[in-house]
PDB file of all heavy atoms in Angstrom:
ATOM      1  N   VAL A 127       0.836  -1.226  -0.002  1.00  0.00           N
ATOM      2  CA  VAL A 127       0.039  -0.039  -0.046  1.00  0.00           C
ATOM      3  C   VAL A 127       0.881   1.228  -0.006  1.00  0.00           C
ATOM      4  O   VAL A 127       1.992   1.287   0.586  1.00  0.00           O
ATOM      5  CB  VAL A 127      -0.965   0.016   1.223  1.00  0.00           C
ATOM      6  CG1 VAL A 127      -1.966  -1.115   1.142  1.00  0.00           C
ATOM      7  CG2 VAL A 127      -0.171  -0.045   2.542  1.00  0.00           C
ATOM      8  N   ILE A 128       0.401   2.277  -0.642  1.00  0.00           N
ATOM      9  CA  ILE A 128       1.069   3.585  -0.649  1.00  0.00           C
ATOM     10  C   ILE A 128       0.816   4.171   0.765  1.00  0.00           C
ATOM     11  O   ILE A 128      -0.241   4.180   1.246  1.00  0.00           O
ATOM     12  CB  ILE A 128       0.565   4.480  -1.749  1.00  0.00           C
ATOM     13  CG1 ILE A 128       0.736   3.861  -3.104  1.00  0.00           C
ATOM     14  CG2 ILE A 128       1.224   5.857  -1.739  1.00  0.00           C
ATOM     15  CD1 ILE A 128       0.001   4.550  -4.229  1.00  0.00           C
ATOM     16  N   PRO A 129       1.840   4.799   1.358  1.00  0.00           N
ATOM     17  CA  PRO A 129       1.617   5.473   2.671  1.00  0.00           C
ATOM     18  C   PRO A 129       0.512   6.497   2.623  1.00  0.00           C
ATOM     19  O   PRO A 129       0.308   7.218   1.701  1.00  0.00           O
ATOM     20  CB  PRO A 129       3.019   6.147   2.905  1.00  0.00           C
ATOM     21  CG  PRO A 129       3.969   5.303   2.200  1.00  0.00           C
ATOM     22  CD  PRO A 129       3.209   4.845   0.932  1.00  0.00           C
ATOM     23  N   VAL A 130      -0.292   6.469   3.695  1.00  0.00           N
ATOM     24  CA  VAL A 130      -1.422   7.408   3.875  1.00  0.00           C
ATOM     25  C   VAL A 130      -1.218   8.291   5.034  1.00  0.00           C
ATOM     26  O   VAL A 130      -0.299   8.122   5.853  1.00  0.00           O
ATOM     27  CB  VAL A 130      -2.763   6.590   3.960  1.00  0.00           C
ATOM     28  CG1 VAL A 130      -3.025   5.805   2.702  1.00  0.00           C
ATOM     29  CG2 VAL A 130      -2.749   5.706   5.199  1.00  0.00           C
ATOM     30  N   SER A 131      -2.070   9.186   5.248  1.00  0.00           N
ATOM     31  CA  SER A 131      -2.033  10.171   6.370  1.00  0.00           C
ATOM     32  C   SER A 131      -1.902   9.394   7.675  1.00  0.00           C
ATOM     33  O   SER A 131      -2.642   8.468   7.977  1.00  0.00           O
ATOM     34  CB  SER A 131      -3.173  11.114   6.366  1.00  0.00           C
ATOM     35  OG  SER A 131      -3.123  11.999   5.314  1.00  0.00           O
ATOM     36  N   GLY A 132      -0.994   9.882   8.587  1.00  0.00           N
ATOM     37  CA  GLY A 132      -0.746   9.344   9.887  1.00  0.00           C
ATOM     38  C   GLY A 132       0.261   8.244   9.878  1.00  0.00           C
ATOM     39  O   GLY A 132       0.687   7.809  11.005  1.00  0.00           O
ATOM     40  N   ASP A 133       0.774   7.728   8.747  1.00  0.00           N
ATOM     41  CA  ASP A 133       1.681   6.697   8.708  1.00  0.00           C
ATOM     42  C   ASP A 133       3.141   7.185   8.976  1.00  0.00           C
ATOM     43  O   ASP A 133       3.448   8.370   8.771  1.00  0.00           O
ATOM     44  CB  ASP A 133       1.677   5.959   7.352  1.00  0.00           C
ATOM     45  CG  ASP A 133       0.471   5.087   7.152  1.00  0.00           C
ATOM     46  OD1 ASP A 133      -0.358   5.033   8.073  1.00  0.00           O
ATOM     47  OD2 ASP A 133       0.379   4.423   6.085  1.00  0.00           O
ATOM     48  N   THR A 134       3.943   6.222   9.416  1.00  0.00           N
ATOM     49  CA  THR A 134       5.417   6.508   9.469  1.00  0.00           C
ATOM     50  C   THR A 134       6.050   5.798   8.326  1.00  0.00           C
ATOM     51  O   THR A 134       5.906   4.608   8.127  1.00  0.00           O
ATOM     52  CB  THR A 134       5.986   6.030  10.823  1.00  0.00           C
ATOM     53  OG1 THR A 134       5.427   6.795  11.865  1.00  0.00           O
ATOM     54  CG2 THR A 134       7.516   6.036  10.865  1.00  0.00           C
ATOM     55  N   VAL A 135       6.919   6.486   7.596  1.00  0.00           N
ATOM     56  CA  VAL A 135       7.633   5.921   6.472  1.00  0.00           C
ATOM     57  C   VAL A 135       9.051   5.635   6.803  1.00  0.00           C
ATOM     58  O   VAL A 135       9.778   6.507   7.412  1.00  0.00           O
ATOM     59  CB  VAL A 135       7.588   6.847   5.280  1.00  0.00           C
ATOM     60  CG1 VAL A 135       8.594   6.441   4.214  1.00  0.00           C
ATOM     61  CG2 VAL A 135       6.192   6.973   4.614  1.00  0.00           C
ATOM     62  N   VAL A 136       9.464   4.405   6.629  1.00  0.00           N
ATOM     63  CA  VAL A 136      10.902   4.027   6.970  1.00  0.00           C
ATOM     64  C   VAL A 136      11.585   3.606   5.680  1.00  0.00           C
ATOM     65  O   VAL A 136      11.141   2.706   4.940  1.00  0.00           O
ATOM     66  CB  VAL A 136      10.926   2.811   7.959  1.00  0.00           C
ATOM     67  CG1 VAL A 136      12.353   2.352   8.197  1.00  0.00           C
ATOM     68  CG2 VAL A 136      10.238   3.236   9.245  1.00  0.00           C
ATOM     69  N   ILE A 137      12.694   4.243   5.406  1.00  0.00           N
ATOM     70  CA  ILE A 137      13.551   3.943   4.243  1.00  0.00           C
ATOM     71  C   ILE A 137      14.949   3.534   4.767  1.00  0.00           C
ATOM     72  O   ILE A 137      15.782   4.471   4.999  1.00  0.00           O
ATOM     73  CB  ILE A 137      13.619   5.162   3.292  1.00  0.00           C
ATOM     74  CG1 ILE A 137      12.196   5.577   2.864  1.00  0.00           C
ATOM     75  CG2 ILE A 137      14.472   4.858   2.091  1.00  0.00           C
ATOM     76  CD1 ILE A 137      12.153   6.940   2.211  1.00  0.00           C
ATOM     77  N   ASP A 138      15.161   2.304   5.040  1.00  0.00           N
ATOM     78  CA  ASP A 138      16.375   1.843   5.724  1.00  0.00           C
ATOM     79  C   ASP A 138      16.917   0.591   5.158  1.00  0.00           C
ATOM     80  O   ASP A 138      17.828  -0.054   5.739  1.00  0.00           O
ATOM     81  CB  ASP A 138      16.116   1.670   7.178  1.00  0.00           C
ATOM     82  CG  ASP A 138      15.121   0.591   7.556  1.00  0.00           C
ATOM     83  OD1 ASP A 138      14.530  -0.006   6.598  1.00  0.00           O
ATOM     84  OD2 ASP A 138      14.952   0.253   8.733  1.00  0.00           O
ATOM     85  N   GLN A 139      16.463   0.196   3.944  1.00  0.00           N
ATOM     86  CA  GLN A 139      16.950  -1.074   3.351  1.00  0.00           C
ATOM     87  C   GLN A 139      18.151  -0.864   2.485  1.00  0.00           C
ATOM     88  O   GLN A 139      18.273   0.090   1.767  1.00  0.00           O
ATOM     89  CB  GLN A 139      15.814  -1.680   2.552  1.00  0.00           C
ATOM     90  CG  GLN A 139      14.525  -1.955   3.317  1.00  0.00           C
ATOM     91  CD  GLN A 139      14.681  -2.946   4.455  1.00  0.00           C
ATOM     92  OE1 GLN A 139      15.024  -4.101   4.219  1.00  0.00           O
ATOM     93  NE2 GLN A 139      14.451  -2.491   5.657  1.00  0.00           N
ATOM     94  N   THR A 140      19.127  -1.826   2.620  1.00  0.00           N
ATOM     95  CA  THR A 140      20.292  -1.800   1.733  1.00  0.00           C
ATOM     96  C   THR A 140      19.953  -2.143   0.338  1.00  0.00           C
ATOM     97  O   THR A 140      20.421  -1.495  -0.680  1.00  0.00           O
ATOM     98  CB  THR A 140      21.394  -2.741   2.266  1.00  0.00           C
ATOM     99  OG1 THR A 140      21.776  -2.404   3.600  1.00  0.00           O
ATOM    100  CG2 THR A 140      22.602  -2.682   1.346  1.00  0.00           C
ATOM    101  N   LEU A 141      19.113  -3.122   0.118  1.00  0.00           N
ATOM    102  CA  LEU A 141      18.635  -3.656  -1.141  1.00  0.00           C
ATOM    103  C   LEU A 141      19.866  -4.034  -2.016  1.00  0.00           C
ATOM    104  O   LEU A 141      20.868  -4.436  -1.500  1.00  0.00           O
ATOM    105  CB  LEU A 141      17.719  -2.654  -1.787  1.00  0.00           C
ATOM    106  CG  LEU A 141      16.458  -2.355  -0.939  1.00  0.00           C
ATOM    107  CD1 LEU A 141      15.573  -1.271  -1.632  1.00  0.00           C
ATOM    108  CD2 LEU A 141      15.670  -3.545  -0.664  1.00  0.00           C
ATOM    109  N   GLY A 142      19.779  -3.827  -3.337  1.00  0.00           N
ATOM    110  CA  GLY A 142      20.833  -4.304  -4.226  1.00  0.00           C
ATOM    111  C   GLY A 142      21.913  -3.289  -4.518  1.00  0.00           C
ATOM    112  O   GLY A 142      22.886  -3.552  -5.213  1.00  0.00           O
ATOM    113  N   GLY A 143      21.790  -2.091  -3.918  1.00  0.00           N
ATOM    114  CA  GLY A 143      22.700  -0.986  -4.253  1.00  0.00           C
ATOM    115  C   GLY A 143      22.055   0.342  -4.159  1.00  0.00           C
ATOM    116  O   GLY A 143      20.890   0.391  -3.666  1.00  0.00           O
ATOM    117  N   PRO A 144      22.672   1.432  -4.569  1.00  0.00           N
ATOM    118  CA  PRO A 144      22.070   2.766  -4.477  1.00  0.00           C
ATOM    119  C   PRO A 144      20.714   2.815  -5.186  1.00  0.00           C
ATOM    120  O   PRO A 144      20.563   2.290  -6.257  1.00  0.00           O
ATOM    121  CB  PRO A 144      23.133   3.667  -5.148  1.00  0.00           C
ATOM    122  CG  PRO A 144      24.387   2.919  -4.924  1.00  0.00           C
ATOM    123  CD  PRO A 144      24.064   1.475  -5.066  1.00  0.00           C
ATOM    124  N   TYR A 145      19.720   3.534  -4.613  1.00  0.00           N
ATOM    125  CA  TYR A 145      18.462   3.670  -5.186  1.00  0.00           C
ATOM    126  C   TYR A 145      17.880   5.039  -4.841  1.00  0.00           C
ATOM    127  O   TYR A 145      18.197   5.619  -3.815  1.00  0.00           O
ATOM    128  CB  TYR A 145      17.501   2.583  -4.764  1.00  0.00           C
ATOM    129  CG  TYR A 145      17.274   2.418  -3.263  1.00  0.00           C
ATOM    130  CD1 TYR A 145      16.242   2.997  -2.659  1.00  0.00           C
ATOM    131  CD2 TYR A 145      18.145   1.612  -2.482  1.00  0.00           C
ATOM    132  CE1 TYR A 145      16.032   2.838  -1.284  1.00  0.00           C
ATOM    133  CE2 TYR A 145      17.977   1.517  -1.158  1.00  0.00           C
ATOM    134  CZ  TYR A 145      16.885   2.097  -0.561  1.00  0.00           C
ATOM    135  OH  TYR A 145      16.700   1.963   0.831  1.00  0.00           O
ATOM    136  N   THR A 146      17.014   5.534  -5.708  1.00  0.00           N
ATOM    137  CA  THR A 146      16.417   6.843  -5.582  1.00  0.00           C
ATOM    138  C   THR A 146      14.910   6.738  -5.564  1.00  0.00           C
ATOM    139  O   THR A 146      14.269   6.082  -6.475  1.00  0.00           O
ATOM    140  CB  THR A 146      16.824   7.812  -6.693  1.00  0.00           C
ATOM    141  OG1 THR A 146      18.268   7.960  -6.661  1.00  0.00           O
ATOM    142  CG2 THR A 146      16.129   9.158  -6.528  1.00  0.00           C
ATOM    143  N   ILE A 147      14.244   7.314  -4.573  1.00  0.00           N
ATOM    144  CA  ILE A 147      12.811   7.313  -4.441  1.00  0.00           C
ATOM    145  C   ILE A 147      12.357   8.674  -4.835  1.00  0.00           C
ATOM    146  O   ILE A 147      12.727   9.741  -4.194  1.00  0.00           O
ATOM    147  CB  ILE A 147      12.372   6.968  -3.046  1.00  0.00           C
ATOM    148  CG1 ILE A 147      12.839   5.624  -2.597  1.00  0.00           C
ATOM    149  CG2 ILE A 147      10.852   7.043  -2.916  1.00  0.00           C
ATOM    150  CD1 ILE A 147      12.634   5.343  -1.142  1.00  0.00           C
ATOM    151  N   SER A 148      11.546   8.810  -5.875  1.00  0.00           N
ATOM    152  CA  SER A 148      11.076  10.082  -6.359  1.00  0.00           C
ATOM    153  C   SER A 148       9.669  10.342  -5.804  1.00  0.00           C
ATOM    154  O   SER A 148       8.738   9.591  -6.180  1.00  0.00           O
ATOM    155  CB  SER A 148      11.081  10.166  -7.888  1.00  0.00           C
ATOM    156  OG  SER A 148      12.390  10.000  -8.296  1.00  0.00           O
ATOM    157  N   TYR A 149       9.493  11.365  -5.049  1.00  0.00           N
ATOM    158  CA  TYR A 149       8.208  11.632  -4.427  1.00  0.00           C
ATOM    159  C   TYR A 149       7.282  12.157  -5.518  1.00  0.00           C
ATOM    160  O   TYR A 149       7.498  13.225  -6.165  1.00  0.00           O
ATOM    161  CB  TYR A 149       8.294  12.681  -3.316  1.00  0.00           C
ATOM    162  CG  TYR A 149       7.014  12.865  -2.612  1.00  0.00           C
ATOM    163  CD1 TYR A 149       6.558  11.931  -1.723  1.00  0.00           C
ATOM    164  CD2 TYR A 149       6.158  13.963  -2.819  1.00  0.00           C
ATOM    165  CE1 TYR A 149       5.319  12.046  -1.093  1.00  0.00           C
ATOM    166  CE2 TYR A 149       4.962  14.058  -2.224  1.00  0.00           C
ATOM    167  CZ  TYR A 149       4.538  13.163  -1.271  1.00  0.00           C
ATOM    168  OH  TYR A 149       3.309  13.331  -0.654  1.00  0.00           O
ATOM    169  N   ASN A 150       6.213  11.379  -5.911  1.00  0.00           N
ATOM    170  CA  ASN A 150       5.350  11.724  -6.943  1.00  0.00           C
ATOM    171  C   ASN A 150       3.868  11.541  -6.534  1.00  0.00           C
ATOM    172  O   ASN A 150       3.013  11.254  -7.319  1.00  0.00           O
ATOM    173  CB  ASN A 150       5.656  10.874  -8.182  1.00  0.00           C
ATOM    174  CG  ASN A 150       5.466   9.388  -7.951  1.00  0.00           C
ATOM    175  OD1 ASN A 150       5.354   8.953  -6.808  1.00  0.00           O
ATOM    176  ND2 ASN A 150       5.442   8.607  -8.992  1.00  0.00           N
ATOM    177  N   ASN A 151       3.677  11.650  -5.231  1.00  0.00           N
ATOM    178  CA  ASN A 151       2.252  11.413  -4.710  1.00  0.00           C
ATOM    179  C   ASN A 151       1.392  12.644  -4.898  1.00  0.00           C
ATOM    180  O   ASN A 151       1.654  13.699  -4.314  1.00  0.00           O
ATOM    181  CB  ASN A 151       2.362  11.003  -3.228  1.00  0.00           C
ATOM    182  CG  ASN A 151       1.070  10.510  -2.632  1.00  0.00           C
ATOM    183  OD1 ASN A 151       0.143  10.172  -3.432  1.00  0.00           O
ATOM    184  ND2 ASN A 151       0.950  10.397  -1.376  1.00  0.00           N
ATOM    185  N   ALA A 152       0.354  12.536  -5.703  1.00  0.00           N
ATOM    186  CA  ALA A 152      -0.547  13.646  -5.979  1.00  0.00           C
ATOM    187  C   ALA A 152      -1.632  13.728  -4.879  1.00  0.00           C
ATOM    188  O   ALA A 152      -2.332  14.771  -4.728  1.00  0.00           O
ATOM    189  CB  ALA A 152      -1.167  13.511  -7.314  1.00  0.00           C
ATOM    190  N   ALA A 153      -1.796  12.760  -4.045  1.00  0.00           N
ATOM    191  CA  ALA A 153      -2.790  12.743  -2.986  1.00  0.00           C
ATOM    192  C   ALA A 153      -2.482  13.643  -1.849  1.00  0.00           C
ATOM    193  O   ALA A 153      -1.252  13.823  -1.580  1.00  0.00           O
ATOM    194  CB  ALA A 153      -3.041  11.320  -2.482  1.00  0.00           C
ATOM    195  N   ALA A 154      -3.424  14.246  -1.180  1.00  0.00           N
ATOM    196  CA  ALA A 154      -3.184  15.075   0.005  1.00  0.00           C
ATOM    197  C   ALA A 154      -2.879  14.173   1.229  1.00  0.00           C
ATOM    198  O   ALA A 154      -3.832  13.738   1.780  1.00  0.00           O
ATOM    199  CB  ALA A 154      -4.373  16.017   0.236  1.00  0.00           C
ATOM    200  N   THR A 155      -1.618  13.930   1.486  1.00  0.00           N
ATOM    201  CA  THR A 155      -1.272  13.010   2.568  1.00  0.00           C
ATOM    202  C   THR A 155      -0.381  13.766   3.567  1.00  0.00           C
ATOM    203  O   THR A 155       0.553  14.435   3.197  1.00  0.00           O
ATOM    204  CB  THR A 155      -0.468  11.821   2.020  1.00  0.00           C
ATOM    205  OG1 THR A 155      -1.266  11.185   0.964  1.00  0.00           O
ATOM    206  CG2 THR A 155      -0.069  10.819   3.025  1.00  0.00           C
ATOM    207  N   THR A 156      -0.674  13.557   4.869  1.00  0.00           N
ATOM    208  CA  THR A 156       0.139  14.130   5.900  1.00  0.00           C
ATOM    209  C   THR A 156       0.650  12.970   6.809  1.00  0.00           C
ATOM    210  O   THR A 156      -0.106  12.339   7.449  1.00  0.00           O
ATOM    211  CB  THR A 156      -0.689  15.132   6.762  1.00  0.00           C
ATOM    212  OG1 THR A 156      -1.234  16.118   5.897  1.00  0.00           O
ATOM    213  CG2 THR A 156       0.176  15.778   7.828  1.00  0.00           C
ATOM    214  N   LEU A 157       1.946  12.769   6.788  1.00  0.00           N
ATOM    215  CA  LEU A 157       2.525  11.662   7.412  1.00  0.00           C
ATOM    216  C   LEU A 157       2.973  11.982   8.872  1.00  0.00           C
ATOM    217  O   LEU A 157       3.012  13.197   9.263  1.00  0.00           O
ATOM    218  CB  LEU A 157       3.822  11.227   6.665  1.00  0.00           C
ATOM    219  CG  LEU A 157       3.630  10.810   5.248  1.00  0.00           C
ATOM    220  CD1 LEU A 157       4.982  10.604   4.532  1.00  0.00           C
ATOM    221  CD2 LEU A 157       2.812   9.516   5.116  1.00  0.00           C
ATOM    222  N   GLN A 158       3.150  10.954   9.660  1.00  0.00           N
ATOM    223  CA  GLN A 158       3.665  11.118  11.060  1.00  0.00           C
ATOM    224  C   GLN A 158       5.147  11.371  11.081  1.00  0.00           C
ATOM    225  O   GLN A 158       5.631  12.217  11.824  1.00  0.00           O
ATOM    226  CB  GLN A 158       3.298   9.905  11.881  1.00  0.00           C
ATOM    227  CG  GLN A 158       3.863   9.925  13.287  1.00  0.00           C
ATOM    228  CD  GLN A 158       3.272  11.065  14.157  1.00  0.00           C
ATOM    229  OE1 GLN A 158       2.001  11.253  14.218  1.00  0.00           O
ATOM    230  NE2 GLN A 158       4.095  11.856  14.802  1.00  0.00           N
ATOM    231  N   ALA A 159       5.827  10.558  10.262  1.00  0.00           N
ATOM    232  CA  ALA A 159       7.295  10.689  10.243  1.00  0.00           C
ATOM    233  C   ALA A 159       7.840  10.077   8.984  1.00  0.00           C
ATOM    234  O   ALA A 159       7.247   9.177   8.355  1.00  0.00           O
ATOM    235  CB  ALA A 159       7.928  10.019  11.474  1.00  0.00           C
ATOM    236  N   VAL A 160       8.971  10.576   8.570  1.00  0.00           N
ATOM    237  CA  VAL A 160       9.801   9.930   7.483  1.00  0.00           C
ATOM    238  C   VAL A 160      11.220   9.677   8.153  1.00  0.00           C
ATOM    239  O   VAL A 160      11.883  10.649   8.547  1.00  0.00           O
ATOM    240  CB  VAL A 160       9.938  10.800   6.246  1.00  0.00           C
ATOM    241  CG1 VAL A 160      10.950  10.215   5.266  1.00  0.00           C
ATOM    242  CG2 VAL A 160       8.504  10.946   5.589  1.00  0.00           C
ATOM    243  N   VAL A 161      11.610   8.420   8.066  1.00  0.00           N
ATOM    244  CA  VAL A 161      12.874   8.072   8.644  1.00  0.00           C
ATOM    245  C   VAL A 161      13.731   7.457   7.615  1.00  0.00           C
ATOM    246  O   VAL A 161      13.459   6.407   6.997  1.00  0.00           O
ATOM    247  CB  VAL A 161      12.666   7.012   9.780  1.00  0.00           C
ATOM    248  CG1 VAL A 161      13.998   6.570  10.444  1.00  0.00           C
ATOM    249  CG2 VAL A 161      11.663   7.521  10.881  1.00  0.00           C
ATOM    250  N   LEU A 162      14.891   8.170   7.315  1.00  0.00           N
ATOM    251  CA  LEU A 162      15.818   7.715   6.340  1.00  0.00           C
ATOM    252  C   LEU A 162      17.051   7.207   7.038  1.00  0.00           C
ATOM    253  O   LEU A 162      17.697   7.933   7.731  1.00  0.00           O
ATOM    254  CB  LEU A 162      16.200   8.828   5.402  1.00  0.00           C
ATOM    255  CG  LEU A 162      16.900   8.493   4.047  1.00  0.00           C
ATOM    256  CD1 LEU A 162      15.988   7.869   3.110  1.00  0.00           C
ATOM    257  CD2 LEU A 162      17.487   9.748   3.426  1.00  0.00           C
ATOM    258  N   GLY A 163      17.408   5.948   6.751  1.00  0.00           N
ATOM    259  CA  GLY A 163      18.527   5.367   7.546  1.00  0.00           C
ATOM    260  C   GLY A 163      19.406   4.410   6.800  1.00  0.00           C
ATOM    261  O   GLY A 163      19.875   3.445   7.452  1.00  0.00           O
ATOM    262  N   ASN A 164      19.617   4.554   5.553  1.00  0.00           N
ATOM    263  CA  ASN A 164      20.530   3.709   4.805  1.00  0.00           C
ATOM    264  C   ASN A 164      21.330   4.539   3.770  1.00  0.00           C
ATOM    265  O   ASN A 164      20.734   5.379   3.100  1.00  0.00           O
ATOM    266  CB  ASN A 164      19.839   2.574   4.130  1.00  0.00           C
ATOM    267  CG  ASN A 164      20.753   1.452   3.683  1.00  0.00           C
ATOM    268  OD1 ASN A 164      21.461   1.619   2.698  1.00  0.00           O
ATOM    269  ND2 ASN A 164      20.928   0.405   4.433  1.00  0.00           N
ATOM    270  N   ALA A 165      22.613   4.326   3.719  1.00  0.00           N
ATOM    271  CA  ALA A 165      23.488   5.149   2.818  1.00  0.00           C
ATOM    272  C   ALA A 165      23.112   4.902   1.359  1.00  0.00           C
ATOM    273  O   ALA A 165      23.476   5.774   0.524  1.00  0.00           O
ATOM    274  CB  ALA A 165      24.954   4.806   3.071  1.00  0.00           C
ATOM    275  N   ASN A 166      22.436   3.832   1.015  1.00  0.00           N
ATOM    276  CA  ASN A 166      22.096   3.543  -0.398  1.00  0.00           C
ATOM    277  C   ASN A 166      20.886   4.382  -0.873  1.00  0.00           C
ATOM    278  O   ASN A 166      20.600   4.449  -2.034  1.00  0.00           O
ATOM    279  CB  ASN A 166      21.789   2.115  -0.628  1.00  0.00           C
ATOM    280  CG  ASN A 166      23.051   1.266  -0.727  1.00  0.00           C
ATOM    281  OD1 ASN A 166      24.172   1.751  -0.942  1.00  0.00           O
ATOM    282  ND2 ASN A 166      22.920  -0.075  -0.634  1.00  0.00           N
ATOM    283  N   ALA A 167      20.178   4.991   0.042  1.00  0.00           N
ATOM    284  CA  ALA A 167      18.883   5.610  -0.234  1.00  0.00           C
ATOM    285  C   ALA A 167      18.999   7.051  -0.487  1.00  0.00           C
ATOM    286  O   ALA A 167      19.638   7.819   0.205  1.00  0.00           O
ATOM    287  CB  ALA A 167      17.908   5.382   0.890  1.00  0.00           C
ATOM    288  N   THR A 168      18.281   7.578  -1.534  1.00  0.00           N
ATOM    289  CA  THR A 168      18.120   9.013  -1.784  1.00  0.00           C
ATOM    290  C   THR A 168      16.617   9.200  -1.978  1.00  0.00           C
ATOM    291  O   THR A 168      15.929   8.547  -2.758  1.00  0.00           O
ATOM    292  CB  THR A 168      18.829   9.410  -3.085  1.00  0.00           C
ATOM    293  OG1 THR A 168      20.237   9.163  -2.885  1.00  0.00           O
ATOM    294  CG2 THR A 168      18.573  10.881  -3.396  1.00  0.00           C
ATOM    295  N   LEU A 169      16.114  10.199  -1.249  1.00  0.00           N
ATOM    296  CA  LEU A 169      14.706  10.665  -1.401  1.00  0.00           C
ATOM    297  C   LEU A 169      14.683  12.013  -2.030  1.00  0.00           C
ATOM    298  O   LEU A 169      15.299  12.970  -1.504  1.00  0.00           O
ATOM    299  CB  LEU A 169      14.005  10.704  -0.058  1.00  0.00           C
ATOM    300  CG  LEU A 169      12.620  11.258   0.036  1.00  0.00           C
ATOM    301  CD1 LEU A 169      11.611  10.457  -0.793  1.00  0.00           C
ATOM    302  CD2 LEU A 169      12.172  11.395   1.512  1.00  0.00           C
ATOM    303  N   THR A 170      13.997  12.134  -3.138  1.00  0.00           N
ATOM    304  CA  THR A 170      13.931  13.367  -3.831  1.00  0.00           C
ATOM    305  C   THR A 170      12.516  13.566  -4.427  1.00  0.00           C
ATOM    306  O   THR A 170      11.633  12.858  -4.067  1.00  0.00           O
ATOM    307  CB  THR A 170      15.004  13.506  -4.921  1.00  0.00           C
ATOM    308  OG1 THR A 170      14.976  14.844  -5.517  1.00  0.00           O
ATOM    309  CG2 THR A 170      14.890  12.525  -6.045  1.00  0.00           C
ATOM    310  N   PHE A 171      12.346  14.488  -5.373  1.00  0.00           N
ATOM    311  CA  PHE A 171      11.041  14.717  -6.034  1.00  0.00           C
ATOM    312  C   PHE A 171      11.096  14.385  -7.521  1.00  0.00           C
ATOM    313  O   PHE A 171      12.207  14.439  -8.096  1.00  0.00           O
ATOM    314  CB  PHE A 171      10.748  16.249  -5.875  1.00  0.00           C
ATOM    315  CG  PHE A 171      10.334  16.597  -4.493  1.00  0.00           C
ATOM    316  CD1 PHE A 171      11.298  16.875  -3.497  1.00  0.00           C
ATOM    317  CD2 PHE A 171       8.987  16.739  -4.040  1.00  0.00           C
ATOM    318  CE1 PHE A 171      10.930  17.208  -2.202  1.00  0.00           C
ATOM    319  CE2 PHE A 171       8.661  17.069  -2.776  1.00  0.00           C
ATOM    320  CZ  PHE A 171       9.610  17.333  -1.847  1.00  0.00           C
TER     321      PHE A 171
END
């Protein structure tokens, strides 16, 4: 499921190597927290 209002988002997986998450959510969503905790991860738009 796509994160919805009130959720906590965790981005902490090593996975197969560097990866980029592009924020493209058009829905009006208000999260509780975003936690970024792995050197392979990039969060952008």
Side-chain angles (χ1 to χ4, degrees):
V127 294
I128 301 168
V130 297
S131 290
D133 285 1
T134 293
V135 166
V136 176
I137 303 168
D138 65 352
Q139 303 297 298
T140 300
L141 302 176
Y145 57 96
T146 297
I147 302 169
S148 298
Y149 187 77
N150 62 346
N151 191 15
T155 303
T156 303
L157 301 171
Q158 175 65 49
V160 172
V161 179
L162 192 73
N164 193 282
N166 280 346
T168 296
L169 174 62
T170 187
F171 289 79

